[in-house]
């Protein structure tokens, strides 16, 4: 069945540095969504990408959907302590209507 | 703002007990979901529902059942709780099957 894998599982970042987390699917995706979960909180929707090669930006966050619609990335520039949390990607396979498959998440720790 | 509420934040039950977890959303969303979240495994879909009285199995439905008698309410039932069902349970709702999911605060269940 469809699998969504995220790497790395953990990311320690110095405040001010950039980092990227990657999401890879074993099947072609209809869309990819990204969520952020703060420590002790629940996942909160960040963005959805639908088109092949799509790039979207939210302030210091850049999201990209691969040309083959099987991978995605989230790049954060100039990391701040407010970026702490776990970032999940979630995708819907073209043959599994209604079922969003979540990756295991990248847990981000920011040191001042 | 969409609001998704869950009946309990923390719950302690004994092995063999019947457990009800309730979720209510106030945005008239068609779709509702139950996930469990475990460290290193991300969010795994247990069941989802796209309409009143309709339910579909997710990736890990064994040991669980659900009920959706009203549009705004989606219940998760553990018929006979077991220790391997100790987890964080998250409910979510969405208007579109492939759209943004809005999560509740979660119920942390401990089965002794």
């Amino acid at each position: 069945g469809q699998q969504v894998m995220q790497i790395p599982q953990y990311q320690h970042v110095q405040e001010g540095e950039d980092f990227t987390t990657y999401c890879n699917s074993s099947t072609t995706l209809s869309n990819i969504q990204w969520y952020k979960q703060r420590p002790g909180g629940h996942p909160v929707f960040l963005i959805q990408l639908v088109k092949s090669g799509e790039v979207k930006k939210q302030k210091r966050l850049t999201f990209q959907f691969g040309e083959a619609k099987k991978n995605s990335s989230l790049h954060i520039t100039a990391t701040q302590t407010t970026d702490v949390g776990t970032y999940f990607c979630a995708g819907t396979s073209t043959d599994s209507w209604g079922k969003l498959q979540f990756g295991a998440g990248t847990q981000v720790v920011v040191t001042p | 703002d969409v609001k998704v509420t869950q009946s309990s934040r923390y719950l302690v039950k004994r092995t063999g007990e019947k457990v009800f977890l309730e979720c209510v959303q106030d945005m008239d969303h068609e779709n509702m979901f139950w996930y469990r979240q475990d460290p290193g495994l991300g969010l795994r879909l247990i069941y989802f529902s796209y309409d009143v009285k309709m339910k579909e199995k997710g990736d890990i439905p064994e040991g669980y059942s659900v009920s959706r008698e009203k549009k705004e309410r989606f219940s998760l039932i553990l018929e006979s709780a077991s220790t391997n069902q100790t987890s964080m349970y998250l409910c979510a709702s969405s208007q579109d099957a492939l759209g943004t999911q809005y999560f509740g605060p979660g119920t942390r269940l401990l089965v002794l």
Side-chain angles (χ1 to χ4, degrees):
Chain A
Q2 177 198 353
Q3 282 196 327
V4 174
M5 292 148 288
Q6 275 187 262
I7 50 171
Q9 189 174 2
Y10 299 100
Q11 181 80 56
H12 287 81
V13 190
Q14 194 83 23
E15 193 173 13
E17 289 183 343
D18 302 352
F19 77 91
T20 304
T21 176
Y22 299 90
C23 179
N24 297 298
S25 170
S26 57
T27 59
T28 303
L29 302 171
S30 301
N31 65 351
I32 191 98
Q33 298 179 10
W34 284 89
Y35 291 78
K36 178 183 178 181
Q37 184 176 23
R38 293 183 185 276
H42 57 273
V44 175
F45 174 80
L46 292 176
I47 209 157
Q48 175 168 277
L49 305 170
V50 178
K51 298 176 185 175
S52 169
E54 189 171 11
V55 178
K56 286 188 177 180
K57 292 190 176 185
Q58 285 182 351
K59 297 183 180 178
R60 295 176 296 101
L61 278 61
T62 301
F63 304 84
Q64 188 165 7
F65 201 7
E67 294 289 340
K69 300 183 77 172
K70 295 179 79 170
N71 55 70
S72 181
S73 64
L74 160 59
H75 181 77
I76 301 183
T77 58
T79 305
Q80 299 177 359
T81 54
T82 52
D83 296 323
V84 165
T86 300
Y87 293 82
F88 293 99
C89 65
T92 301
S93 173
T94 52
D95 59 4
S96 64
W97 176 86
K99 289 172 63 173
L100 202 59
Q101 192 83 25
F102 279 81
T106 294
Q107 185 178 344
V108 176
V109 175
V110 180
T111 49
Chain B
D1 272 356
V2 175
K3 193 159 187 185
V4 180
T5 56
Q6 294 183 230
S7 49
S8 307
R9 289 302 301 272
Y10 302 94
L11 211 51
V12 181
K13 295 291 181 181
R14 296 207 175 274
T15 301
E17 279 192 86
K18 192 168 186 175
V19 182
F20 291 90
L21 303 181
E22 290 211 312
C23 175
V24 178
Q25 50 95 4
D26 67 356
M27 282 301 290
D28 202 36
H29 282 172
E30 303 288 336
N31 306 281
M32 296 188 75
F33 308 82
W34 274 106
Y35 295 89
R36 63 176 283 176
Q37 182 176 20
D38 301 288
L41 297 177
L43 281 73
R44 293 181 292 167
L45 182 64
I46 304 171
Y47 268 97
F48 67 103
S49 168
Y50 54 88
D51 200 354
V52 176
K53 296 192 187 294
M54 305 302 289
K55 60 184 179 184
E56 292 285 340
K57 291 181 179 179
D59 298 315
I60 51 164
E62 297 78 20
Y64 303 95
S65 62
V66 290
S67 171
R68 191 156 180 213
E69 297 296 317
K70 293 185 178 181
K71 192 175 187 179
E72 67 271 17
R73 192 178 297 267
F74 192 33
S75 302
L76 180 69
I77 302 146
L78 287 66
E79 293 290 341
S80 178
S82 62
T83 54
N84 62 13
Q85 292 179 310
T86 290
S87 186
M88 168 69 87
Y89 290 88
L90 288 160
C91 173
S93 73
S94 69
Q95 182 53 41
D96 302 316
L98 304 185
T100 304
Q101 293 194 10
Y102 297 88
F103 284 84
T107 296
R108 191 168 291 280
L109 173 67
L110 173 62
V111 182
L112 299 173

